[in-house]
Amino acid sequence: MHTTMEHPKQLQHRRIGLWISKKKMKKFAFGVLAEACRNRRLELVEVDGSCSLWRQGPFDVLVHKLTDVMIGAQQGNPEDQTMMQHVEEFLQSSPHLIVLDPLPAVWKLVDRYDTYTLLEKLQPHFADSLIYTPSFALLESTDPQKILEALKVKNVTFPFVCKTRVAHGLNSHEMAVIFNRVGLKDVSPPCVAQSFVNHNATLHKVYIIGDSLSVVQRPSLRNFPSGESEMETLFFCSQEVSKAESSSELTKPLHGTHQMDSELPNEVAHQLVTAIRPVLGASLIGVDVIVDNGTGHRALIDINVFPGYDGVADFSEHLADHISKLLEEKSQETGEAALNGTNAVRLAHHHKIEATV
Ligand SMILES: O=P(O)(O)O[C@@H]1[C@@H](OP(=O)(O)O)[C@H](OP(=O)(O)O)[C@H](O)[C@H](OP(=O)(O)O)[C@H]1OP(=O)(O)O
Ligand SMILES: Nc1ncnc2c1ncn2[C@@H]1O[C@H](COP(=O)(O)OP(=O)(O)O)[C@@H](O)[C@H]1O
Ligand SMILES: [Mg+2]
């Protein structure tokens, strides 16, 4: 008689759905991740957002970057709203599905004002590591007087960077550095104003993949005169300033700048990640850190959902490890739950017998 030996849970074949935009898929090393998954008895499947998830499933893990669809739905785009409804229904019908990262965690990171507010609340946890988030204010008016008042209330100083509230997607990277009151005419509300921090044109991208992190140096905006100055508003696209290959007048460190050490020690990066991961509830994130060249304090200026991890060695191995770890934890959880369930039935049965003796 042929008996099929049930694979022990940890050896069972698992299906991992990867759902990212076409733009991101073009840059994504799908084949490398698929290979890393195969080596861990995981099958990586590309999810087609235009087809039914039920037909493409079942999945044990859904790895996604749905920020564009989430933001579109939030802004009233009917197709994105329908898509998000489909996603929510699928998640509700798949209680054991591991979502990487959970939608509530991702929602916290699609609006810069929400993200900076969250980081501001974390300030006490960071104080001893000299980590902070620069002063920021929500600007909702074009009236210069109202803007000045909003800046003053939140201690935002000139120069400041004006960023869209929306943190991801095509138009989210158009920014401006405003140097004086005349420049307030360039504020396009609603936007977030964040005090500019001189940091010797060095950006540290702290890339987090579950429990592993990598710090990658990138070019960044050069130093500017502190306080109000005669400089004209500087418009720029962040995707042209802080990519590995970015190089322009904007990113050339000024000669003779006060060269306070612009490094980000690894242990500081670890302290940062230890503090923010539990609060964010996300595990595939990029944190942009710059070091104030006057004080050496570390400023958190940006958090990204599922970034490109450009420059991170063995990204696919780290991601496949993280997925395996989550599956193992889930299997133990359900194993324990089943065991508790069985024990509860056994106990109830025992009490029932006891009651009849
Ligand atoms: O352009 P990539 O691939 O390097 O990744 C972008 C990230 O760059 P990074 O890897 O951090 O240098 C980029 O991070 P920054 O905004 O540059 O800090 C964004 O996360 C971007 O996502 P979106 O287009 O804003 O939804 C990311 O774009 P997607 O890969 O999500 O399309
Ligand atoms: N508060 C700041 N002080 C100094 N430079 C900043 C500040 N905020 C942003 N920048 C510069 O602008 C770039 C893009 O800012 P960021 O908030 O990371 O936008 P994005 O989300 O588009 O990456 C940074 O990499 C850095 O060079
Ligand atoms: Mg950034």
Side-chain angles (χ1 to χ4, degrees), residues 21 23-24 27 65 67-68 112 167-170 172-173 203 205 207 218 238-239 242-244 286 288 302-310:
S21 67
K23 165 187 168 266
K24 192 173 179 74
K27 300 172 283 188
K65 181 164 188 176
T67 44
D68 291 353
R112 287 193 177 96
H168 280 277
L170 218 52
S172 65
H173 304 293
L203 171 74
K205 294 193 86 79
Y207 284 124
R218 287 280 188 80
S238 67
Q239 303 267 310
S242 294
K243 289 298 173 205
D288 290 353
D302 179 27
I303 297 186
N304 286 300
V305 169
F306 200 167
Y309 292 98
D310 184 18

Side-chain angles (χ1 to χ4, degrees), residues 301-319:
I301 57 169
D302 179 27
I303 297 186
N304 286 300
V305 169
F306 200 167
Y309 292 98
D310 184 18
V312 174
D314 302 330
F315 161 71
S316 295
E317 291 300 315
H318 289 306
L319 180 51

Side-chain angles (χ1 to χ4, degrees), residues 8-22:
K9 275 239 178 285
Q10 64 274 23
L11 291 180
Q12 254 182 0
H13 174 77
R14 301 290 190 167
R15 296 186 86 241
I16 315 301
L18 175 69
W19 187 355
I20 57 178
S21 67
K22 289 187 175 54

